[in-house]
């Protein structure tokens, strides 16, 4: 998933023998890496940039207050159906109302052996309760407005960035897997359901440690499409010193100058808030329950997040940001 070219990221620096007198990080208890120690402008206590949750990639401009002094909590998006419909640009036709019945799940025919061979992707199953779906959408709207981002459920091509013509799967180093016709139909079904207000059963929650993160709001089956990773498409060469913490590889080209990334800071969907920074608990147990896969979908590179096992209600969603390249050190993250 991650490109082999350098990109600016906050990572755990090597130990240093230089300490700031009487100043140490409130999270890790160390005074090492003084250049990365940020002091609260109210209580003067120190915090490493890489120990904060969410992590800071650089020292913020102006005053900065720690969690204890700021008591910052995101202001909830108004739970008003008309506001939510307008925010997500949901279709208003009488046939596609928010409170229409959830479509029946398609039956999967064939023997167990055949199912294993085909490994078809499944569409998400929305919550039956209309009010609960409104709460799910409001939770995402809260996260987006708090981070000054607009909702988008597709890749966007902005002037001055990479053009759509640059998104060519044929440029992928080693080739790119083509999404089957049936799985493409499933992906389009998920998009259509969202357009008419049948939302994925996901809730964005704010955690003082992890920041915004996403929880399953109902059980989710293995191989279910969770969401597509979307945002502004740009050339990696333009983003090598970008401060964003959620840049995703879209196209890893044989020619590095043609490698593309997705930048979700200004326009994005719920994928922006799914945790992709660590795959293990302190006990060594894998937390990963999603896989991030790049596909050729109709001649265009796309990135999907798909469940890689059954997920229970209330379980937080995690995928491995490093993919199979292990470019970024993540063992210091939560």
């Amino acid at each position: 998933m991650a490109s082999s070219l350098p990109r600016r990221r906050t990572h755990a620096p090597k130990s240093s023998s230089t300490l700031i007198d009487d100043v140490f990080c409130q999270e890790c208890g160390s005074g090492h890496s003084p250049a990365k120690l940020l002091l609260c402008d109210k209580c003067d206590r120190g915090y490493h940039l890489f120990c904060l949750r969410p992590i800071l990639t650089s020292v913020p401009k102006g005053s900065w207050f720690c969690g204890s002094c700021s008591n910052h909590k995101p202001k909830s998006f108004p739970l008003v159906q008309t506001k939510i419909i307008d925010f997500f640009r949901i279709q208003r036709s009488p046939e596609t109302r928010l409170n229409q019945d959830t479509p029946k799940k398609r039956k999967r025919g064939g023997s167990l052996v055949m199912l294993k061979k085909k490994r078809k992707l499944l569409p998400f199953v929305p919550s039956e309760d209309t009010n609960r779906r409104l709460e799910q959408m409001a939770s995402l709207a809260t996260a987006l407005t708090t981070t000054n981002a607009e909702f988008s459920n597709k890749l966007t091509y902005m002037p001055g960035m990479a053009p759509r013509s640059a998104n060519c799967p044929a440029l992928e180093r080693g080739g790119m897997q083509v999404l089957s016709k049936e799985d493409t139909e499933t992906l389009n079904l998920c998009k259509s359901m969202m357009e008419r207000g049948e939302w994925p059963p996901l809730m964005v929650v704010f955690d003082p440690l992890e920041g915004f993160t996403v929880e399953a709001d109902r059980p989710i089956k293995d191989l279910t499409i969770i969401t597509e990773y979307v945002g502004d498409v740009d050339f990696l060469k333009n983003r090598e010193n970008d401060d964003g913490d959620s840049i995703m590889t879209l196209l890893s080209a044989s020619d590095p100058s043609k490698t593309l990334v997705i930048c979700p800071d200004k326009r994005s969907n719920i994928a922006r808030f799914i945790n992709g920074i660590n795959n293990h608990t302190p006990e060594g147990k894998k937390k990963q329950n999603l896989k991030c896969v790049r596909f050729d979908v109709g001649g265009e590179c796309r990135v999907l997040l798909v469940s890689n096992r059954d997920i229970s209600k209330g379980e937080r969603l995690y995928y491995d940001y490093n993919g199979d390249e292990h470019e970024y050190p993540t063992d210091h993250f939560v």
Side-chain angles (χ1 to χ4, degrees):
M1 161 183 83
S3 169
S4 59
L5 292 182
R7 279 208 306 267
R8 183 177 178 179
R9 289 290 187 280
T10 298
H11 57 276
K14 296 180 180 179
S15 298
S16 169
S17 58
T18 304
L19 303 177
I20 297 179
D21 293 339
D22 300 326
V23 177
F24 59 91
C25 176
Q26 298 294 315
E27 296 294 337
C28 70
S30 168
H32 293 293
S33 306
K36 297 290 186 179
L37 269 173
L38 181 60
L39 300 183
C40 175
D41 287 307
K42 184 174 182 180
C43 68
D44 287 331
R45 290 185 294 182
Y47 295 84
H48 284 123
L49 295 176
F50 50 82
C51 286
L52 292 168
R53 298 294 183 271
I55 287 170
L56 293 182
T57 56
S58 59
V59 176
K61 297 178 181 179
S63 299
W64 177 83
F65 301 99
C66 68
S68 299
C69 294
S70 65
N71 292 321
H72 174 68
K73 202 171 184 180
K75 185 177 180 181
S76 297
F77 191 86
L79 190 59
V80 180
Q81 180 170 322
T82 53
K83 288 183 178 293
I84 291 175
I85 288 175
D86 291 338
F87 187 92
F88 292 109
R89 299 184 291 278
I90 293 172
Q91 298 172 0
R92 289 177 175 271
S93 63
E95 299 176 354
T96 54
R97 296 173 297 175
L98 269 176
N99 60 352
Q100 73 177 48
D101 294 335
T102 301
K104 294 182 179 179
K105 293 168 59 178
R106 294 181 296 175
K107 293 183 178 179
R108 302 176 67 189
S111 67
L112 181 61
V113 174
M114 291 301 293
L115 290 177
K116 285 185 176 180
K117 285 184 177 180
K118 291 184 177 180
R119 299 287 287 174
K120 300 174 185 176
L121 297 182
L122 301 175
F124 61 78
V125 179
S127 300
E128 293 86 355
D129 185 354
T130 304
N131 292 329
R132 191 59 178 174
R133 295 209 297 268
L134 287 173
E135 291 176 17
Q136 293 161 358
M137 287 185 276
S139 73
L140 174 56
T142 297
L144 289 170
T145 53
T146 301
T147 54
N148 297 315
E150 298 178 9
F151 172 73
S152 175
N153 208 28
K154 61 183 180 180
L155 296 176
T156 44
Y157 301 87
M158 307 303 293
M161 299 185 190
R164 186 164 191 165
S165 59
N167 186 350
C168 179
L171 300 176
E172 173 74 13
R173 182 174 61 245
M176 182 174 289
Q177 181 179 357
V178 178
L179 193 67
S180 69
K181 179 180 178 181
E182 186 172 15
D183 287 344
T184 299
E185 291 174 352
T186 300
L187 175 61
N188 292 335
L189 172 62
C190 291
K191 295 273 189 176
S192 298
M193 286 194 292
M194 292 186 68
E195 288 176 359
R196 58 180 181 251
E198 296 168 10
W199 215 247
L202 306 172
M203 188 73 74
V204 184
V205 298
F206 184 78
D207 184 292
L209 193 61
E210 296 187 17
F212 286 113
T213 186
V214 179
E215 295 180 352
D217 206 35
R218 66 170 294 164
I220 298 174
K221 288 184 176 295
D222 182 21
L223 290 179
T224 295
I225 295 177
I226 301 299
T227 186
E228 179 180 352
Y229 204 102
V230 301
D232 296 337
V233 178
D234 203 358
F235 291 108
L236 175 61
K237 62 185 179 182
N238 297 338
R239 301 285 179 155
E240 289 179 343
N241 295 313
D242 198 293
D243 284 338
D245 62 351
S246 297
I247 291 176
M248 173 70 68
T249 299
L250 176 64
L251 169 65
S252 184
S254 300
D255 180 353
S257 68
K258 296 182 179 180
T259 290
L260 300 177
V261 292
I262 302 171
C263 309
D265 294 338
K266 295 182 179 179
R267 280 160 285 273
S268 53
N269 62 9
I270 202 166
R272 169 69 177 83
F273 305 105
I274 294 177
N275 197 321
I277 57 176
N278 186 34
N279 190 23
H280 293 85
T281 65
E283 298 78 26
K285 183 180 179 181
K286 280 191 175 183
K287 296 194 295 184
Q288 181 178 351
N289 48 23
L290 305 181
K291 58 183 176 181
C292 181
V293 190
R294 289 184 290 129
F295 286 105
D296 174 347
V297 183
E300 184 179 64
C301 303
R302 306 272 282 275
V303 179
L304 303 184
L305 291 177
V306 179
S307 59
N308 63 359
R309 61 172 173 79
D310 289 345
I311 301 173
S312 58
K313 180 179 179 180
E315 189 176 345
R316 289 192 177 175
L317 305 185
Y318 294 92
Y319 68 97
D320 189 352
Y321 186 87
N322 278 290
D324 57 1
E325 296 184 10
H326 307 290
E327 180 182 355
Y328 306 116
T330 60
D331 33 318
H332 64 289
F333 287 116
V334 172

